[in-house]
Amino acid sequence: MPVLAGPADERVSVVVITWQRRQEALLAVRRLLALPERPRVVVLDNGSTDGTSAALRAAHPVGSPGADRLDVITLPRNEGAVARNIGVATATTPYVAFCDDDTWWEPGSLRLAADVLDADGRVAVLTATILVEPGGIDDPINVELRESPVRGAPDLPGPALGSFLAGASVVRRDAFCEVGGFSARLWLGGEEELMAADLAAAGWELCHVPDMVVHHQASVLRESHRRRRDGIRNTLWFTWLRRPVPVALRRTRFLLRTVPRDRVSALAVLDAVRGAGWVLRERRVLPEHAEARFRALEDAQESSTARRYVS
């Protein structure tokens, strides 16, 4: 996987978050540095204890091909998705692609994203098609992205979306910073929904561009119960923070009826209830144009096979 020669596309950087996945991080960075766009790659090591940061620096020493395009930032603790905020603050490009340590961008997709964002200043986020590896199989979420029922502004570069998938998206840096990035309260797990709502409330558009492609080979090194617990909690918090009371009550009932009836789900609900105080203090109902996007998604979300809280 040699580093490709040619001019770098200075419009887009890639921010990667990683934790305790040294081998996956090494492979992800190698793939990113080999892209024809030659993006600057900012890796946020979320306090790994497996030598991830040292291994990345050893694999790309100063003076080696591609090393000038790589920044490795070692955080003292696991900041979850909030580490991406630090990556965006570090980036100097107008657009920032996100990448997890078990995903990688198809050559040419970052240039396409930059071209699309250059051409349409209304758009804050572009989400790619996701291919599951090995095999390059369509992720089930792709159908929902292509057939999104959300109504956006006319003549958008692709289907309008209500939310996005961070590991498969490119953001406009100014829009990201305008809404404050990802919430530190939510940490990790469905954190995109709150940010997407705030972008929509501020008048920004989110789109799916099918010709942009991300590959995903899910790591076996994951805390699946923790991710489910945080995901359920964050969905409840988002619902209580931004949706009108009747909708919030209906969505809460639906979630409680459909999540697995086990200890993980019970703890997730308890976590959400414990945060009710700050949620009520910070509650800000979406304006009608943004709320309409989420109402349009409800039927698709309730029948989705790609959106299930399992672990």
Side-chain angles (χ1 to χ4, degrees):
M1 218 176 294
V3 176
L4 299 178
D9 191 327
E10 300 294 352
R11 297 174 297 172
V12 60
S13 303
V14 183
V15 167
V16 183
I17 58 172
T18 187
W19 181 71
Q20 304 291 64
R21 294 182 183 172
R22 181 178 59 190
Q23 293 307 315
E24 284 94 336
L26 285 167
L27 182 56
V29 168
R30 190 150 48 101
R31 283 170 164 151
L32 290 169
L33 292 177
L35 288 173
E37 296 94 333
R38 297 185 60 223
R40 178 165 296 282
V41 178
V42 182
V43 179
L44 287 304
D45 179 0
N46 263 323
S48 299
T49 58
D50 64 351
T52 294
S53 293
L56 285 167
R57 294 187 180 106
H60 305 280
V62 175
S64 66
D68 62 323
R69 311 296 298 171
L70 175 64
D71 295 309
V72 179
I73 300 173
T74 307
L75 302 178
R77 60 183 179 274
N78 191 346
E79 299 284 358
V82 183
R84 295 194 190 106
N85 297 354
I86 300 169
V88 172
T90 302
T92 58
T93 53
Y95 313 129
V96 179
F98 294 128
C99 192
D100 293 335
D101 49 22
D102 59 357
T103 64
W104 62 95
W105 285 92
E106 178 87 4
S109 288
L110 299 183
R111 181 166 289 117
L112 172 59
D115 289 344
V116 171
L117 290 168
D118 276 351
D120 197 327
R122 302 169 297 176
V123 179
V125 183
L126 300 176
T127 296
T129 294
I130 302 171
L131 299 183
V132 178
E133 303 294 345
I137 301 165
D138 242 13
D139 190 296
I141 199 70
N142 291 336
V143 174
E144 296 182 31
L145 295 173
R146 290 193 296 266
E147 299 178 1
S148 171
V150 173
R151 284 190 172 186
D155 303 317
L156 289 174
L161 301 178
S163 188
F164 66 103
L165 302 156
S169 294
V170 179
V171 302
R172 188 181 299 273
R173 187 175 182 274
D174 285 351
F176 182 96
C177 294
E178 179 185 328
V179 300
F182 293 108
S183 168
R185 300 274 198 186
L186 272 59
W187 194 69
L188 183 69
E191 69 280 359
E192 301 97 335
E193 198 166 28
L194 180 58
M195 182 180 161
D198 291 344
L199 285 167
W204 291 100
E205 294 287 347
L206 299 84
C207 296
H208 171 50
V209 177
D211 289 341
M212 289 168 50
V213 176
V214 160
H215 299 264
H216 179 212
Q217 185 161 356
S219 174
V220 297
L221 303 173
R222 60 178 57 239
E223 295 182 303
S224 56
H225 288 327
R226 171 71 188 272
R227 292 292 293 272
R228 172 156 67 94
R229 178 174 173 177
D230 289 347
I232 294 171
R233 177 201 67 190
N234 289 348
T235 297
L236 288 169
W237 278 349
F238 163 72
T239 302
W240 301 343
L241 278 166
R242 294 291 184 266
R243 308 298 300 275
V245 169
V247 177
L249 291 173
R250 185 175 71 247
R251 295 293 296 162
T252 299
R253 286 195 297 269
F254 172 78
L255 188 70
L256 296 180
R257 191 173 68 248
T258 55
V259 296
R261 294 180 178 275
D262 61 10
R263 184 174 183 272
V264 174
S265 297
L267 290 172
V269 174
L270 182 60
D271 292 342
V273 171
R274 283 172 173 161
W278 76 261
V279 167
L280 290 174
R281 288 193 304 272
E282 298 181 20
R283 176 173 162 79
R284 189 172 71 250
V285 177
L286 291 172
E288 174 56 28
H289 74 272
E291 167 61 22
R293 302 173 83 96
F294 286 91
R295 281 202 308 270
L297 285 171
E298 287 184 11
D299 287 345
Q301 288 175 335
E302 293 183 7
S303 62
S304 172
T305 58
R307 304 169 190 263
R308 288 288 181 265
Y309 290 106
V310 295
S311 61

